[in-house]
Amino acid sequence: MYETFYQLREKPFSILPDPDMIYWGRTHTMAFTMLEFGVLNNAGFTVITGEIGSGKTTLVRHLLRQLSPSLTVGLISNSPQGRQELLEWILMSLDQNFEGSYPQLFKRLQDFLHGQYAAGRRTVLIIDEAQNLEPGALEHLRMLSNINADKFQVLQLILIGQPQLREQLLKPELHQFAQRISSDFHIRPLEPTEIDRYIQFRLQAAGARRPLFSREASDLIGFAARGIPRMINILSDTALVYGFARDQKLIGSEIIREVIADKQQHSIFPVEAAPLPP
């Protein structure tokens, strides 16, 4: 809609996970480093958490691009419950037959993992939205991690989830699970000093040849979005629509204040309700 007006190749603030649009600030750099560390060091469990819209899934997509072809990778993006359903989804993610009784499924997974190990391959299972897993499912994952080949870990597990996942893992009944976590990190919101750099990075990645947001506009977006990348994207995208409608080549603070006011009054979007700074 506004791409031609602002001389952009594509929309810079899509909320879809896009590994090409990762802003490598400190928190995302550290989170990805911990993901890589877990994979390279054959960690039993790696846990990455962050608020909704903090960029967790985008980091997973980037990781999938970087993983060695010698790894067998399964990705689960929903929240299976119960040991039967969990095993079915694990086998499905690994392109294995997922029909049968629980003992049959367990034996099939065990044979598959040992077969991969014998062929010189390691198996990594990534579970996104893991905060929705019940304690019983998390405990069953711990039991599955006991499928080893002598002293070697044949199944690595990476759990990605919202802050509730951390709360789950602190429960006394999951103490043994927590002790298996070798690598973990919590993705924090962007710092106020990073917001303008984040917005300019996204614009330049989409082809912008000049700044399209004033510094004051960026600061207001960061305040209202509480530093959450997805919320920054939504506000920035809407601001470009408003700017296009008003024939404004530069998005200033007055447009951002209007966008935020409209979101607060007429949208379900959770914009910061506190008074904006002057």
Side-chain angles (χ1 to χ4, degrees), residues 149-164:
D150 297 323
K151 63 181 179 179
F152 298 100
Q153 191 88 34
V154 299
L155 175 64
Q156 290 180 254
L157 294 112
I158 297 175
L159 303 186
I160 311 294
Q162 296 170 27
Q164 299 93 303

Side-chain angles (χ1 to χ4, degrees), residues 160-207:
I160 311 294
Q162 296 170 27
Q164 299 93 303
L165 177 60
R166 292 169 63 89
E167 297 169 10
Q168 281 267 59
L169 297 177
L170 290 174
K171 293 180 178 179
E173 60 266 32
L174 291 173
H175 182 66
Q176 291 188 69
F177 185 104
Q179 289 184 329
R180 297 282 186 93
I181 299 171
S182 304
S183 177
D184 72 290
F185 190 78
H186 180 71
I187 301 174
R188 294 179 297 280
L190 297 177
E191 296 290 334
T193 55
E194 294 182 287
I195 305 300
D196 186 64
R197 292 198 297 269
Y198 172 86
I199 290 174
Q200 301 306 330
F201 165 79
R202 300 279 302 207
L203 288 166
Q204 291 170 14

Side-chain angles (χ1 to χ4, degrees), residues 52 54 62 78 168 230 240 265 276:
I52 296 172
S54 61
H62 184 69
N78 65 352
Q168 281 267 59
R230 183 184 298 166
L240 287 174
Q265 295 174 26
L276 292 175

